[in-house]
Amino acid sequence: MSIRSAKQLTFVMLAASLTMLSPAVSQENDLAAFQKIGPEGAGHSEAIAAAGRLSKLAPERLFDVLAAMEDATPLGKNWLRVIAADIADNGDVPTDSLVAYIEDRSGSRDARYVAYLLLKDSDADRAEKLLDGMMDDPSLQLRYEAVAKAIKRAKAAEGEAAISLYNQTLQVARHPNHLKKIADALREAKQEVDLAKHMGFITQWKLVGPFDNTDMKGFDVVYPPEAEYLASADHTISQPSYDGKAGQVAWQSESTKHELGMVNLNPVYNNEKSAIHYGYVELESAKEQPAQARLGCIVANKIWVNGELIMSNEVYHARTGVDQYIADFTLQKGKNTLLIKTCQNDQTQSWAQDWEFQLRITDPDGAAIDFAR
């Protein structure tokens, strides 16, 4: 064989090899596009092209798309959800494989929930039966569905059977709406429920204020309590009082009995406008552990934990509610200190008079952390 012939044969074999590999390689590249897609158009052109190709895949390739959700960006996951639904429309969805995928708790939480929704579309009865074993599922979306079903079951029961079902569900529920609904049902049945404690709300605070927020210029001003806290080696407070907006202001203890931990600052500071307050608390953790600060606040706010700024929201009188803002942080073993700053502005409209906040500390799944008191 001549050198030219050998080269030609090698080229043909290489081309054939690349042709055989190209669909898998192409699909892998297409799925990788959703690891790069972000806000302001980042990676969108590549994702659009990839989505067009992936959406044409046969249903048995659905699980490749679901698996890609593990490494996709938050925006990429949304795209992959739509692509998965498109693929499911291309033929018969492999129901048994979907069930096995959903039941494997080691898989991606988001992908397992998408698989559940696809199963629900193709076999609603089978999907409904799966929920009975998902009350404690690591996927909060699947858990939400299971808890909703359990609440309906408890509502249909009577007497002690209903109370027992509600109590069981209370221990595994994570969504605030579900927890409130369960607590209301138990109280109606004459059962005591400390919902604030169960959800991890901080109900006892040290408060100080007001400080000046004229023209909303105080958000980034470091007032004395903040300066002391940040400068302290252990990020604590020791001074009893400071120069405030109109004279000396002192720390005072304040507790709330609101079932969702709401602290109303208006009666504390006589409905002061253009004002800032600080709240301080110490939390004793049995171990180092991941945690979340979950804040509901109608005005601008900042939160520090152990001297680190973990949350900052310069927003005034927008909507508010439980878990409006969520920030991840790490609790250290032993004492942890937390400082919150809230800022009221000078708006005169009736809907702009509230000055309040509610804060709970949970694990990353929303379960209350039991702090030593």
Side-chain angles (χ1 to χ4, degrees):
M1 182 183 294
S2 68
I3 294 177
R4 176 175 291 183
S5 297
K7 285 183 176 180
Q8 289 175 336
L9 179 60
T10 300
F11 176 78
V12 170
M13 293 176 64
L14 178 60
S17 174
L18 289 174
T19 300
M20 289 187 292
L21 288 175
S22 61
V25 172
S26 176
Q27 181 180 317
E28 184 177 338
N29 290 337
D30 283 343
L31 292 172
F34 299 95
Q35 299 175 19
K36 305 169 185 175
I37 186 171
E40 299 181 2
H44 281 226
S45 58
E46 294 85 352
I48 290 171
R53 291 186 290 267
L54 292 170
S55 294
K56 298 174 183 177
L57 292 174
E60 58 266 22
R61 308 305 297 273
L62 170 66
F63 300 98
D64 295 332
V65 173
L66 292 176
M69 293 182 71
E70 183 74 39
D71 298 318
T73 65
L75 189 56
K77 288 180 182 180
N78 290 335
W79 284 58
L80 290 170
R81 288 187 184 98
V82 176
I83 293 168
D86 288 341
I87 292 173
D89 289 336
N90 293 339
D92 294 330
V93 176
T95 304
D96 289 342
S97 298
L98 276 177
V99 170
Y101 190 88
I102 296 164
E103 290 181 329
D104 181 4
R105 294 191 173 194
S106 66
S108 163
R109 300 179 181 189
D110 291 323
R112 290 176 60 234
Y113 183 62
V114 172
Y116 167 80
L117 294 177
L118 295 175
L119 177 64
K120 191 175 180 179
D121 286 341
S122 62
D123 192 339
D125 289 340
R126 197 166 182 185
E128 184 76 7
K129 289 177 182 177
L130 276 182
L131 292 178
D132 293 334
M134 294 180 171
M135 292 270 286
D136 61 346
D137 199 276
S139 166
L140 295 183
Q141 296 162 307
L142 287 171
R143 184 186 294 225
Y144 181 93
E145 301 275 357
V147 168
K149 180 180 179 181
I151 290 174
K152 289 181 180 179
R153 188 186 304 122
K155 189 174 182 179
E158 297 180 355
E160 291 300 322
I163 292 172
S164 178
L165 285 170
Y166 277 124
N167 276 317
Q168 291 173 29
T169 309
L170 181 66
Q171 301 311 311
V172 295
R174 292 292 178 268
H175 196 280
N177 290 346
H178 281 166
L179 290 163
K180 181 71 165 60
K181 189 176 293 187
I182 295 167
D184 288 345
L186 286 170
R187 287 173 184 147
E188 189 175 339
K190 310 301 181 186
Q191 303 294 305
E192 290 188 10
V193 181
D194 188 342
L195 191 57
K197 180 179 180 181
H198 182 83
M199 293 181 68
F201 284 104
I202 298 173
T203 58
Q204 297 181 346
W205 292 90
K206 287 186 176 181
L207 308 179
V208 68
F211 299 89
D212 189 28
N213 193 34
T214 300
D215 297 326
M216 297 183 292
K217 294 180 179 179
F219 185 74
D220 289 321
V221 175
V222 181
Y223 286 108
E226 184 179 332
E228 180 192 7
Y229 173 80
L230 294 175
S232 169
D234 56 356
H235 303 298
T236 56
I237 57 168
S238 58
Q239 294 186 46
S241 62
Y242 314 91
D243 290 329
K245 182 179 180 181
Q248 284 285 298
V249 292
W251 288 102
Q252 57 184 304
S253 296
E254 187 73 22
S255 61
T256 176
K257 293 184 179 180
H258 190 280
E259 71 167 353
L260 295 178
M262 188 66 75
V263 180
N264 185 356
L265 297 171
N266 275 329
V268 179
Y269 301 118
N270 297 315
N271 300 303
E272 185 76 24
K273 300 294 289 184
S274 298
I276 284 172
H277 116 283
Y278 290 93
Y280 176 81
V281 68
E282 295 181 356
L283 305 168
E284 192 76 18
S285 177
K287 59 183 179 181
E288 181 178 306
Q289 57 186 310
Q292 289 184 336
R294 294 171 172 245
L295 175 69
C297 186
I298 194 70
V299 294
N301 56 79
K302 290 184 178 183
I303 294 179
W304 296 262
V305 174
N306 298 326
E308 178 185 357
L309 181 67
I310 66 166
M311 185 181 294
S312 178
N313 304 289
E314 194 171 5
V315 181
Y316 289 91
H317 300 294
R319 60 163 293 278
T320 187
V322 176
D323 299 352
Q324 177 184 4
Y325 303 109
I326 300 176
D328 295 298
F329 68 98
T330 300
L331 282 165
Q332 63 189 22
K333 182 178 180 179
K335 185 173 75 174
N336 296 264
T337 64
L338 183 150
L339 185 73
I340 183 170
K341 176 180 186 177
T342 70
C343 311
Q344 173 67 298
N345 64 7
D346 61 358
Q347 288 179 260
T348 58
Q349 298 93 332
S350 59
W351 48 262
Q353 301 313 299
D354 291 339
W355 187 11
E356 58 189 13
F357 72 95
Q358 57 188 167
L359 177 64
R360 67 189 187 118
I361 306 298
T362 73
D363 70 14
D365 286 337
I369 293 175
D370 186 19
F371 293 107
R373 301 297 181 183

